[in-house]
């Protein structure tokens, strides 16, 4: 039985009790008067006193009941408040004017496990700025915002909105205060990444640009009439200018792929001729590096893809194997059907080299933009540090993924996994 129902029952009982007392008193005094024990005037007076007392008791019970009404209302609205708070998508805590927790949802509980209904919020949240803001919101009835960060266990940023709420619009004070937490961490991370990216891209462009400017000055000055130096410098300048062009090309490709990230390619294509075409295109580089490339493939491996983007993936992987794994003198490529860890059919292309391999601490970061194991070597090889980032982005768009197996001294295997498609006409 709810508290309100219990109270109603009690009032009804009291009323019934009052009526019984008056009726009993009337009967007793009438009997006494009839029996001649009490003169009728005294009997009437006695009855009047008892009836008045019973009536008073009844009235005070009614008053109590009337006074109890707001409590019942408050309970009803607290239940409503709890239901509303539970249904909100952000972590939310509702507090009374004294800062005691009236309601909180599961997300708020996950954020601050020490929060307890009925206890002061200050017991659980040790953020003086926030506690002060809650006090101000309750006293002044004005919305407050507090941004704070946590360092432990990981860096997180929050914006907290403290909103005083009145049940009646014209009430002098808020009835409760709603505290909503907005997790700003993903936004901050994106901001940091963007800032890092711009800084890295500018740095990568500034280095060849500085070299170009330096050589131009030398050619205009001390080397003006030195034909041999001019030939040498122009060759270096050409290489630096090409590096800038490659970088800009990669940056543009990255942003174009990101723009289309949500659109999954839907053209059925066969992986086998694409990989063979890439290998043919890199034969000169392979010969220069003294590397033999083998391709082991079944008849056809159809996938839904953007052909040009697939070419880009395999160019990057085979080129990396030829550049960084040249010491192994062999690169083996395998194309075929396979299955993902959870048994889904996949198309897989693995590019294996027998070079120096990669230490395990680098593996998780290789697909980050501008991440290189050895910056000098990457630059010497004409790398931009964006190749594997491009591969990862293209694969994301295709709902595929890249896995890397490597150990120092044991070469490296980069495997492309793409969702298999039912054999469809290959365009
Ligand atoms: P880069 O333009 O520097 O080649 P990538 O994103 O393609 O950029 O590769 C990132 C880094 O990963 C390279 O700088 C290199 O250190 C490492 N790497 C890539 N492929 C191989 C490989 N087959 N063997 C060893 N290291 C590799």
């Amino acid at each position: 039985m709810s508290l309100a129902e219990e109270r109603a029952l009690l009032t009804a009982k009291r009323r019934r009790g009052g009526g019984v007392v008056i009726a009993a008193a009337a009967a007793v005094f009438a009997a006494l008067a009839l029996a001649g024990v009490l003169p009728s005037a005294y009997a009437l007076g006695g009855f009047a006193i008892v009836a008045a007392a019973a009536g008073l008791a009844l009235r005070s019970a009614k008053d109590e009941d009337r006074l109890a009404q707001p409590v019942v209302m408050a309970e009803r609205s607290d239940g409503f408040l709890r239901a509303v708070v539970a249904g909100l998508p952000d972590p939310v805590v509702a507090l009374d004017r004294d800062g005691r927790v009236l309601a909180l949802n599961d997300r708020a509980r996950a954020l601050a496990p020490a929060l307890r209904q009925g206890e002061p919020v200050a017991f659980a949240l040790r953020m003086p700025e926030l506690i002060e803001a809650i006090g101000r919101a309750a006293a002044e009835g004005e919305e407050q915002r507090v941004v704070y960060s946590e360092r432990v266990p990981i860096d997180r940023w929050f914006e907290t909105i403290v909103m005083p709420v009145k049940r009646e619009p014209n009430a002098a004070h808020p009835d409760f205060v709603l505290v909503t937490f907005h997790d700003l961490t993903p936004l901050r991370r994106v901001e940091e990444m963007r800032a890092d990216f711009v800084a890295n891209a500018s740095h990568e462009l500034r280095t060849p640009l500085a070299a170009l400017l330096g050589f131009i000055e030398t050619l205009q000055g001390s080397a003006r009439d030195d034909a041999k130096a001019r030939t040498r410098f122009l060759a270096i300048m050409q290489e630096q200018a090409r590096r800038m062009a490659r970088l800009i090309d990669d940056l543009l490709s990255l942003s174009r792929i990101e723009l289309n990230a949500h659109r999954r390619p839907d053209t059925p294509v066969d992986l086998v001729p694409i990989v063979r075409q890439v290998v043919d295109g890199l034969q000169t580089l392979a010969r220069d590096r003294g590397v033999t490339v083998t391709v082991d493939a079944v008849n056809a491996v159809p996938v839904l893809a953007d052909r040009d983007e697939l070419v880009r993936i395999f160019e990057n992987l085979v080129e990396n194997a030829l550049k960084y794994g040249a010491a192994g003198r062999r690169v083996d490529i395998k194309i075929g059907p396979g299955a993902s860890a959870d048994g889904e059919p996949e198309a897989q292309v693995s590019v294996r080299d027998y070079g120096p391999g990669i230490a395990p601490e680098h593996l998780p970061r290789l697909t980050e933009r501008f991440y290189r194991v050895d910056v000098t070597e990457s630059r010497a090889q004409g790398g931009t540090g964006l190749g594997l980032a491009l591969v990862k982005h293209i694969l994301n768009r295709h709902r595929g993924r890249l896995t890397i197996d490597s150990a120092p001294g044991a070469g490296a295997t980069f495997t492309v996994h793409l969702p298999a498609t039912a054999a469809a006409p290959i365009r």
Side-chain angles (χ1 to χ4, degrees):
M1 188 188 305
S2 81
L3 215 72
E5 283 167 342
E6 246 175 67
R7 218 184 292 274
L9 203 77
L10 206 74
T11 312
K13 264 192 200 159
R14 275 205 205 124
R15 269 192 203 127
R16 237 181 285 133
V20 170
V21 168
I22 294 171
V28 168
F29 282 108
L32 288 174
L34 280 176
V37 177
L38 265 182
S40 47
Y42 283 111
L44 213 67
F47 170 70
I49 291 169
V50 174
L56 264 180
L58 234 171
R59 169 110 43 91
S60 76
K62 263 192 207 154
D63 285 349
E64 209 178 276
D65 195 37
R66 193 156 44 79
L67 282 175
Q69 277 304 309
V71 178
V72 177
M73 290 258 302
E75 275 158 12
R76 213 177 280 151
S77 60
D78 282 355
F80 182 65
L81 179 68
R82 276 197 290 274
V84 170
V85 167
L88 290 172
D90 281 323
V92 176
V93 185
L95 307 168
D96 67 10
R97 273 216 307 278
D98 302 323
R100 223 174 280 276
V101 178
L102 289 174
L104 74 163
N105 58 12
D106 286 346
R107 281 161 207 239
R109 225 171 258 125
L111 197 68
L115 279 172
R116 299 262 182 291
Q117 199 162 315
E119 283 186 7
V121 68
F123 283 7
L125 297 178
R126 308 223 169 266
M127 265 126 4
E129 339 62 301
L130 179 57
I131 303 300
E132 277 167 27
I134 292 170
R136 270 200 307 278
E140 298 163 16
E142 299 274 330
E143 176 190 330
Q144 311 281 323
R145 282 172 187 251
V146 180
V147 175
Y148 69 91
S149 62
E150 280 179 359
R151 295 257 158 247
V152 185
I154 49 161
D155 280 357
R156 292 178 81 178
W157 288 267
F158 288 96
E159 181 186 41
T160 316
I161 299 164
V162 185
M163 183 70 81
V165 181
K166 293 176 181 175
R167 283 197 181 101
E168 297 296 329
N170 297 326
H173 298 291
D175 294 283
F176 55 88
V177 174
L178 273 185
V179 184
T180 311
F181 297 82
H182 280 266
D183 191 351
L184 300 181
T185 316
L187 265 179
R188 287 274 176 133
R189 293 248 159 85
V190 170
E191 269 169 35
E192 274 175 12
M193 267 170 62
R194 191 172 302 151
D196 280 356
F197 179 63
V198 172
N200 280 327
S202 323
H203 177 74
E204 290 295 327
L205 281 170
R206 206 180 295 130
T207 317
L209 195 61
L212 275 178
L213 287 172
F215 284 118
I216 291 170
E217 260 174 42
T218 317
L219 286 173
Q220 284 172 333
S222 55
R224 183 190 292 266
D225 302 316
D226 185 341
K228 256 168 90 184
R230 189 166 55 226
T231 314
R232 198 158 56 86
F233 290 169
L234 280 173
I236 301 173
M237 287 165 74
Q238 188 178 36
E239 180 44 44
Q240 295 300 323
R242 281 200 184 124
R243 186 171 147 203
M244 288 174 74
R246 263 197 310 273
L247 189 67
I248 289 168
D249 190 34
D250 280 358
L251 287 172
L252 288 177
S253 300
L254 257 182
S255 72
R256 203 186 48 241
I257 293 159
E258 267 177 343
L259 268 182
N260 290 327
H262 57 282
R263 265 196 287 133
R264 192 177 171 181
D266 55 4
T267 314
V269 294
D270 182 4
L271 281 175
V272 181
I274 294 178
V275 175
R276 287 199 193 279
Q277 177 203 327
V278 168
V279 171
D280 288 347
L282 289 169
Q283 274 309 329
T284 319
L285 181 67
R287 254 196 310 277
D288 286 353
R289 303 291 160 109
V291 179
T292 311
V293 184
T294 66
V295 180
D296 170 4
V298 293
N299 281 343
V301 182
V303 288
L304 296 177
D306 175 317
R307 194 176 185 287
D308 292 344
E309 289 186 1
L310 287 189
V311 168
R312 199 75 197 244
I313 291 181
F314 299 120
E315 266 175 5
N316 270 310
L317 295 183
V318 179
E319 218 179 290
N320 277 353
L322 292 173
K323 288 188 315 196
Y324 302 110
R329 307 208 145 284
R330 221 175 87 208
V331 170
D332 296 332
I333 302 171
K334 220 170 148 173
I335 315 165
S340 69
D342 40 14
E344 293 296 317
E346 280 187 341
Q348 294 175 352
V349 182
S350 61
V351 181
R352 165 131 180 62
D353 71 63
Y354 300 85
I358 305 158
E361 66 269 25
H362 297 296
L363 294 181
R365 301 198 57 191
L366 283 187
T367 54
E368 284 176 24
R369 292 159 188 205
F370 299 112
Y371 189 87
R372 287 111 146 186
V373 175
D374 180 338
V375 178
T376 323
E377 200 204 346
S378 158
R379 292 225 175 107
Q381 301 278 9
T384 60
L386 292 174
L388 293 178
L390 267 168
V391 170
K392 186 178 111 177
H393 273 80
I394 296 175
L395 285 175
N396 281 349
R397 189 181 164 219
H398 286 75
R399 309 286 187 274
R401 67 202 165 90
L402 176 75
T403 52
I404 309 171
D405 289 310
S406 186
T413 307
F414 288 75
T415 308
V416 167
H417 306 253
L418 286 162
T421 180
I426 311 284
R427 273 181 245 159

